[in-house]
């Protein structure tokens, strides 16, 4: 069967694959670029905001774009087992694509810091899950060491094929809009995604598919902001566990994207992240996980800044926010919060009464 909907088959000419590459795909990519009317109103000046809803990938995060490439190349090279460190989404994706390819998969995770949905995914796809008493940075160090053994292929974004696959999100945005946006906003954790988008925008621009390059605006969680502070963070903390990272692997790639695009790097607090998550769900109908909300919180923060990157934004500008993972992966965070709920007897009068409608 031809996987003609996956990112490798759609963007083959831009990817390091050949006839000899067995395509391992779950029909990832082609995620909706959803127009966000209320966010656009917030920006004002006739600007248009779009949300790249990456939670609609097969394992419900953007990681599938890179994983189809990493696992396909591993299959081409006869690899039998893959390994990764993860804050949750990479492990879910690696486990799914490895299962599809008939490979073994080992994932190393920080114990107690993975959203339940993501852990459930890694388990059901059949990965061997190792929880460590450490954080993501410790897990990645272990993976680098174990990856030196020939029997394992590392599928973290230090594997360059991951970045290659992830750059296809930028292609899709230009294919839909007919031009690159003026601004691209996204969360930054291990920094592979911002690196990949900048590569994708650059390659499409060089091919004449767009006339401009976007300014790249990256947002880290305030308690896990090594790039922002210019030094690794020993004990990163944030409610957005997906980006709870103190020493990003693609540090240089992220800084290049921000500097070369004339962009901006900033931090958002946990409160701002959770407020952004709720705002997007209750105003635009999009449920995203906390880490993804860093781009929405970042947009709101920039709109408040007097001399920030969006001060004096040109009328009619286009902004794209990547939201990286689906909200259902981490429903605990919602259920732990205090949302009003009503209890009623099984009778109509009581239901209406509890709702204050009687
Ligand atoms: N958003 C989500 C939902 C993520 O899972 C991640 C990273 C990011 C944003 C940040 O992207 O690392 O390319 O800067 N998750 C990795 C993981 C670290 O293991 O799943 P990045």
């Amino acid at each position: 069967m031809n996987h003609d909907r996956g990112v490798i088959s759609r963007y083959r000419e831009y990817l390091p694959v050949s006839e000899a590459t067995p395509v391992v795909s779950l029909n990832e990519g082609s995620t909706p670029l959803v127009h966000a009317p209320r966010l656009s109103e917030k920006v004002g000046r006739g600007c248009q905001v779009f949300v790249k809803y990456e939670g609609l990938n097969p394992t419900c995060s953007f990681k599938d774009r890179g994983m189809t490439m990493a696992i396909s190349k591993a299959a081409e090279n006869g690899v039998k087992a893959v390994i990764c460190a993860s804050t949750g989404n990479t492990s879910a994706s690696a486990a799914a694509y490895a299962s599809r390819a008939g490979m073994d998969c080992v994932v190393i995770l920080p114990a107690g810091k993975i959203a339940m949905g993501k852990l459930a995914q890694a388990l059901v796809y059949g990965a061997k899950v190792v929880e460590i008493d450490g954080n993501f940075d410790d897990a990645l160090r272990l993976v680098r060491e174990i990856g030196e053994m020939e029997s394992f292929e590392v599928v973290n974004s230090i594997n360059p094929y991951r970045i290659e696959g992830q750059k296809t999100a930028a292609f899709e945005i230009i294919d839909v809009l007919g031009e690159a946006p003026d601004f691209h906003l996204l969360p930054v954790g291990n920094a592979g995604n911002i690196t990949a988008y900048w590569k994708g925008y650059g390659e499409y621009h060089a091919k004449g598919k767009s006339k401009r390059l976007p300014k790249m605006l990256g947002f880290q969680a305030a308690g896990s902001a090594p790039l922002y502070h210019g030094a690794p963070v020993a004990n990163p903390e944030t409610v957005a566990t997906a980006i709870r990272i103190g020493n990003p692997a693609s540090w240089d790639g992220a800084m290049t994207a921000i500097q070369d695009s004339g962009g901006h790097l900033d931090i958002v607090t946990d409160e701002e992240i959770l407020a952004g998550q709720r705002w997007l769900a209750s105003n635009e109908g999009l449920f995203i996980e906390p880490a993804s909300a860093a781009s929405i919180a970042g947009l709101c923060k920039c709109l408040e800044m007097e001399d920030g990157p969006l001060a004096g934004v040109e009328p009619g500008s286009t902004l794209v926010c990547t939201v990286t993972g689906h909200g259902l992966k981490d429903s605990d965070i919602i259920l732990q919060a205090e949302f009003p709920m009503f209890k009623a007897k099984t009778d109509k009068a009581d239901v209406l009464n509890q709702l204050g409608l009687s």
Side-chain angles (χ1 to χ4, degrees):
M1 198 196 135
N2 192 355
H3 297 288
D4 58 353
R5 288 189 51 235
V7 298
I8 295 180
S9 85
R10 288 191 298 118
Y11 295 110
R12 174 170 279 275
E13 63 183 295
Y14 297 93
L15 294 169
V17 291
S18 70
E19 289 300 306
T21 314
V23 176
V24 181
S25 171
L26 292 165
N27 291 8
E28 60 294 315
S30 305
T31 54
L33 188 65
V34 184
H35 181 242
R38 296 213 172 90
L39 262 186
S40 303
E41 228 169 80
K42 254 185 196 280
V43 179
R45 302 188 201 202
C47 294
Q48 299 303 326
V49 182
F50 295 85
V51 175
K52 183 69 169 156
Y53 196 24
E54 289 288 270
L56 294 192
N57 273 296
T59 75
C60 307
S61 86
F62 72 99
K63 303 289 181 179
D64 297 339
R65 296 178 182 278
M67 208 53 76
T68 184
M69 273 300 299
I71 299 289
S72 296
K73 293 303 284 189
E76 180 179 341
N77 296 328
V79 167
K80 298 275 181 280
V82 297
I83 188 167
C84 67
S86 184
T87 56
N89 282 323
T90 298
S91 56
S93 187
Y97 283 78
S99 105
R100 185 81 177 189
M103 292 175 192
D104 287 335
C105 178
V106 172
V107 305
I108 305 194
L109 310 175
K113 296 292 181 184
I114 304 293
M116 291 313 283
K118 303 174 189 180
L119 189 57
Q121 286 179 294
L123 292 168
V124 80
Y125 292 130
K128 293 192 176 98
V129 175
V130 183
E131 293 189 310
I132 58 159
D133 185 16
N135 59 30
F136 171 84
D137 304 291
D138 298 315
L140 186 57
R141 178 178 43 77
L142 287 168
V143 162
R144 285 180 198 266
E145 285 170 25
I146 297 168
E148 279 168 20
M149 291 160 49
E150 262 179 45
S151 45
F152 283 106
E153 179 86 354
V154 176
V155 294
N156 280 105
S157 55
I158 51 177
N159 176 327
Y161 296 124
R162 281 275 314 280
I163 305 283
E164 290 296 316
Q166 282 175 210
K167 76 186 179 189
T168 60
F171 298 166
E172 288 181 7
I173 290 167
I174 294 173
D175 286 345
V176 169
L177 296 177
E179 182 50 272
D182 297 285
F183 298 91
H184 189 114
L185 297 85
L186 76 173
V188 176
N190 210 26
N193 212 25
I194 191 169
T195 304
Y197 269 98
W198 185 238
K199 188 166 197 285
Y201 281 125
E203 289 181 12
Y204 245 32
H205 184 256
K207 285 264 183 181
K209 295 257 191 182
S210 66
K211 293 195 188 63
R212 62 181 178 228
L213 291 165
K215 288 186 166 38
M216 302 296 294
L217 313 189
F219 301 95
Q220 301 198 287
S224 305
L227 298 178
Y228 181 80
H229 295 299
V233 173
N235 295 307
E237 271 312 338
T238 169
V239 68
T241 51
I243 51 172
R244 187 176 168 272
I245 295 173
N247 193 10
S250 296
W251 189 301
D252 294 345
M255 296 319 286
T256 300
I258 290 159
Q259 279 154 13
D260 290 3
S261 72
H264 180 75
L265 177 70
D266 216 321
I267 50 173
V268 283
T269 64
D270 282 0
E271 290 70 28
E272 289 168 329
I273 286 172
L274 293 176
Q277 180 190 34
R278 286 191 195 184
W279 192 91
L280 199 70
S282 57
N283 287 280
E284 302 281 14
L286 297 168
F287 183 23
I288 59 174
E289 67 169 286
S292 307
S295 62
I296 306 300
L299 173 57
C300 296
K301 179 172 181 179
C302 289
L303 292 173
E304 302 274 299
M305 290 162 71
E306 270 181 21
D307 54 358
L310 296 177
V313 56
E314 287 287 322
S317 294
T318 304
L319 296 83
V320 171
C321 295
T322 293
V323 294
T324 42
H326 202 289
L328 288 173
K329 283 180 174 267
D330 192 2
S331 47
D332 278 3
I333 201 94
I334 304 300
L335 298 176
Q336 282 161 13
E338 285 190 14
F339 282 89
M341 291 229 280
F342 305 93
K343 284 216 190 317
K345 301 194 190 86
T346 45
D347 88 68
K348 178 177 152 197
D350 195 40
V351 171
L352 294 177
N353 184 32
Q354 296 301 332
L355 289 169
L357 297 172
S358 56

